[in-house]
Amino acid sequence: MWFYEPTEEEAVQLTEPEPQDEHFMREALKQAKRATRYGEVPIGCVIVCDGQIVGRGYNRRNTNHTTLAHAELTAIDRASRKLGDWRLEGCTLYVTLEPCQMCSGAIVQSRIDRVVVGTMNPKAGCAGSILNILQMPAFNHQTALTIGVLRKECTDILQDFFRDLRIRNKEEKKMRAAEEEKRIHVGE
């Protein structure tokens, strides 16, 4: 399998967590819990400027029937509207799961200064797992990056969701099989 091999210059440059990071990651986790209530994969995001939350978002892909309804994109849109500018310089984005390539691109495009990630995404993450779009020197903007803030909580909410989903799917499969068996016997 081919993997992107960053140059030494492109290697992930991490910053240390800051005192407020856990507080704002808990706010992102609240957004992730909202996604769960809608049956969505629990990913949450908040954007902070001058110590205040200016944008919130949670995953709504299935609810909105669009791949664009990622937590980060919703939070970026709301922060841009609130601040009246597409440039979110001076802002920090907190997200429970490492951003994908689409969201990482939007983060770079919106000029967000810093990204704080709860847990990494080895299958689709583009803040260091597969690619590090956030810090590619070829782009005109790079973000500071902190990972692992409330990692256990951010990982647990995802693992619990997928465990429950597998159980639900298994039960639904059994019910469909039982209904099919009834139809076969009734039709004989």
Side-chain angles (χ1 to χ4, degrees):
M1 179 177 227
W2 180 85
F3 289 99
Y4 169 76
E5 200 58 49
T7 65
E8 194 171 302
E9 185 180 69
E10 294 173 322
V12 177
Q13 303 295 315
L14 298 177
T15 59
E16 291 296 315
E18 296 179 7
Q20 72 278 9
D21 288 350
E22 284 192 13
H23 168 73
F24 288 118
M25 188 59 75
R26 287 191 198 292
E27 292 296 318
L29 277 163
K30 287 180 187 176
Q31 294 298 304
K33 289 174 185 167
R34 289 185 74 185
T36 302
R37 289 195 295 266
Y38 292 100
E40 297 278 0
V41 175
I43 302 167
C45 179
V46 296
I47 296 176
V48 175
C49 187
D50 296 326
Q52 300 295 315
I53 296 174
V54 295
R56 300 174 192 267
Y58 58 92
N59 184 32
R60 294 179 53 93
R61 291 189 318 175
N62 294 319
T63 303
N64 291 6
H65 308 290
T66 176
T67 193
L68 300 175
H70 284 212
E72 300 94 325
L73 297 184
T74 300
I76 288 169
D77 182 56
R78 289 180 177 167
S80 294
R81 290 173 193 271
K82 183 163 186 163
L83 297 174
D85 197 345
W86 62 268
R87 292 176 201 85
L88 298 178
E89 296 161 330
C91 293
T92 298
L93 181 144
Y94 293 84
V95 64
T96 57
L97 182 67
E98 180 183 9
C100 70
Q101 67 274 26
M102 175 176 65
C103 294
S104 293
I107 290 165
V108 170
Q109 288 296 312
S110 63
R111 311 295 197 270
I112 290 171
D113 287 350
R114 181 170 174 253
V115 174
V116 180
V117 175
T119 191
M120 299 302 277
N121 182 357
K123 293 184 179 180
C126 288
S129 287
I130 294 177
L131 290 173
N132 183 10
I133 292 173
L134 299 178
Q135 297 180 328
M136 288 182 128
F139 290 129
N140 62 337
H141 178 78
Q142 295 80 37
T143 67
L145 179 62
T146 303
I147 62 171
V149 173
L150 298 182
R151 177 182 286 132
K152 181 176 178 355
E153 293 90 332
C154 293
T155 301
D156 287 350
I157 194 172
L158 287 160
Q159 288 177 338
D160 292 348
F161 174 82
F162 285 111
R163 182 197 64 235
D164 294 347
L165 181 64
R166 283 189 299 275
I167 291 168
R168 256 192 333 271
N169 287 344
K170 193 174 184 179
E171 289 170 358
E172 288 174 9
K173 187 176 178 181
K174 283 181 185 177
M175 284 180 24
R176 283 193 305 273
E179 287 172 8
E180 184 63 25
E181 188 67 28
K182 279 183 190 177
R183 275 196 291 273
I184 291 171
H185 288 298
V186 170
E188 289 179 354

